[in-house]
Amino acid sequence: MNVNKDTLSPKSSNRLWDVIKSQFGTSIEHVHHIPASDGEYADYPNDIDKRITNAMKKRGIGKLYSHQRACWDLVRAGKNVVVVTPTASGKTLCYNTPVLQSIFEDSSSKALYLFPTKALSQDQVAELNEVVDEMGELIKVYTFDGDTPQSARKAIRKQGDVVVTNPDMLHQGILPHHTKWINLFQNLKYVVIDELHSYRGVFGSHVADVIRRLKRVCEFHGSSPQFICCSATIANPKEHAEALTELEMTLVDKSGAPTSEKQFIFYNPPVVNKQLGIRSNYLKEVRKLATTLLKHDISTIVFALSRLNVEVITKYLKDEFESDRKRLVTGEIVAGYRGGYLPNRRREIERGLRSGYLKGVVATNALELGIDIGSLDAALLAGYPGTIASTWQQAGRAGRRERSAIVIMVGRSNPLDQFLMSNPHYFFGLTPEHARINPDNLAILVDHIKCAAFELPFQKGEIFGNVAARDVNEILEFLEEGNVIHLDGNQWHWMEDVYPAVNVSLRRIEKGNFVVVKKEDESNIIAEVDYSSAITTIYPEAIYMTDGKEYIVDELDWKGQKAIVRETDSNYYTDAIEYTSVKILDEFENQKAKKIDVSLGEVQVTTRAVGYKKIKFYTMENVGYGDINLEDLEMITTAYWFTLPEMLLQKLPYSRSDIIDGLLGISNALHYICALNLMCTVMDIHRSIGDKSAEWYVRNVFGDRGIYSTSDGKLTDSKIKTSILSRFQPTIFIYDNYQGGVGFSQQLYDLHEDLLDQTLNLISRCSCSEGCPSCVGPTMEVGVKSKQVSIDILKLILE
């Protein structure tokens, strides 16, 4: 245990620390002490309306933090501002005060607030309305999203002073109908973009094009709003805000808010099998830790990496604290929180956390964002979240409102988590990741030019954001050839009946959600599941969990996008197994790296869910298997890959089957090394092993490893012997796990040799004898020779 005892505070956090140290001290790898800091304050400016200051003082805000005052001064000077300060540092005040001031100075002034989620929008509306109520003024603040009743929408369009929405609704529900929003767009003074850091990758690229369309509509209606952006800590906030808005931004990044004391603990589950390098299941350890904290009346948020894990941990804690008899006395103590819960349930959980009657919550990263959930004493991270920024966001959920706190990150057995457990100073020495977007991605850009053409005709020679007129014209001419638009004089006009935004999704999911309904009452929707998750979540006989309750899926209506379930009291949950095949469509670049060919290009990825495991609650035993027979999912994306020539592999004293085991081990370790270098999550990229000509692919299901044939690039279930292959040139693919790609593959292609060096280093230095989850993977999945074969292959191609 790496602990500097002198740095540990003797104050209030000692109680939390003593609880953890006494029961779990042997598994603590490192403790990082973050001391409390005093705030830096500033007086309210002379030019602020007294009604605002009086309302703030009634709420206990006697002075501004220094960054709030700095933001006020810059906004009043006409600057576009991006504010980057830690969680719970009062960023909301940075935009609410100038917005309210502008309405007092000009009653026709309007503001548009953009938040990435509906939950956050509604939370912020509630907070702003509380301030408005304190002032006793008639300022109309409305949420406008998919949950807004049709009967209320007309009033919001005509009367809203502050309209709070999300990028999806701006894209599909506001901009295409801007003529109904004349009052807003003619008088739009401010655009607020909160949680700026969440607009990255494909989603961020889409949002940047939505902002281009917003500015175009504003210009048509005669307004030119100022932008106020707020973000959690990222490496390039000014650059990112300028990329998103295409405006010059002024950065405010020195926080004046006081910070609470924290102990940040790296917790590594104990080794239960030294020879195989197997550690205790991290979910078991999370359950023990959360149970201990809650029993000591320490309010706790648990962050899980998947929706399934949220439900498993929630069940464990509800079993502990909310048995039927206990619940009659105590009520609800713990709740789950994730996407798929219905809006009313999410609001109920948020209120419960703010009021304090809920002592614990188990959440996905949906609660990373700034939704007000009150004050919590501990944050428990069930696995490394995948990025530095996300880790600090989750850690910031504990110790809010100047209370001391403990943060515990529980390591999984995978290579990335174990690297951080062994090298905590690497984590604490890193700056957060860069946020990257590419709004000029051709597929994304064409979609939004179509949307913009529907909203307003394009003039010949018109630019679109920073896209040159020549490039815009080329796209418009392409659309004209497809009879989407037509040229009339100097203007291109939209031709089709349907408005295009309805067919353009800003996020990965493009085909709508599945609903989950009870068998006895199919009109009652209990949850939603996104399209791409359906094959691994709500297949027939799956145990679907929501709010800690188990349901068995009796039927999946694929065309109707509906799962019919019934409640069950199962002693196990199900976990799906999927595999992928990759077919090369186009090779952009190629290089010879010592003895192998390395390539970058466009690929088609086919994913199939083939079966599921039944995993017993608490013991985590596999107690059975089942088959899944659903449609394959296909995606076009970009990939980096390298091919091992057969003549090279013949130098090794291994069979083709052994070589496959070695490549499985390499790909497992390489996947995590790639994520570490990209500073992205392992879910942002994926891996596959197959043949460069897409004649076969490697499938590893329930420990049954083998090569299977493809037919015209499609998956088959025909297993073939490696000995009968006329050509054996296995290829490892690492691909962007996003439709169209987001640029990760290019970076990996450029880093190829470094990546293999790091992978060899990781595997060869691992203390296990035959392979383990911390390097090549468990031997039962990759074979007992996998570690040695992996090392020999890597040495051969790097020498």
Side-chain angles (χ1 to χ4, degrees), residues 22 39 43 107 229 288 393 532 671:
S22 64
D43 292 328
S107 60
C229 302
K288 293 176 190 175
Q393 277 284 96
S532 61
H671 187 171

Side-chain angles (χ1 to χ4, degrees), residues 39-42 64-71 252 254-257:
E40 187 177 327
Y41 299 91
L64 295 176
Y65 296 140
S66 57
H67 65 273
Q68 293 169 337
R69 176 59 191 269
C71 184
V252 175
K254 185 181 178 184
S255 175

Side-chain angles (χ1 to χ4, degrees), residues 54 66 241 375 466 480 510 638 689:
N54 290 340
S66 57
S375 181
N466 288 344
E480 185 182 28
E510 298 176 350
T638 53
I689 302 174

Side-chain angles (χ1 to χ4, degrees), residues 679-726:
M679 297 178 77
C680 69
T681 75
V682 291
M683 300 303 294
D684 288 327
I685 53 177
H686 221 299
R687 65 184 186 269
S688 183
I689 302 174
D691 175 52
K692 189 175 181 180
S693 56
E695 293 179 3
W696 54 266
Y697 66 98
V698 173
R699 173 167 147 181
N700 185 11
V701 180
F702 308 140
D704 177 20
R705 305 176 302 283
I707 288 179
Y708 287 73
S709 65
T710 61
S711 174
D712 193 27
K714 303 292 184 182
L715 304 179
T716 75
D717 293 318
S718 302
K719 191 172 184 178
I720 54 179
K721 293 182 179 180
T722 56
S723 58
I724 68 168
L725 292 174
S726 58

Side-chain angles (χ1 to χ4, degrees), residues 778-792:
T779 55
M780 65 189 73
E781 293 182 9
V782 297
V784 293
K785 293 183 180 180
S786 179
K787 181 175 182 178
Q788 189 57 54
V789 178
S790 297
I791 291 170
D792 290 346

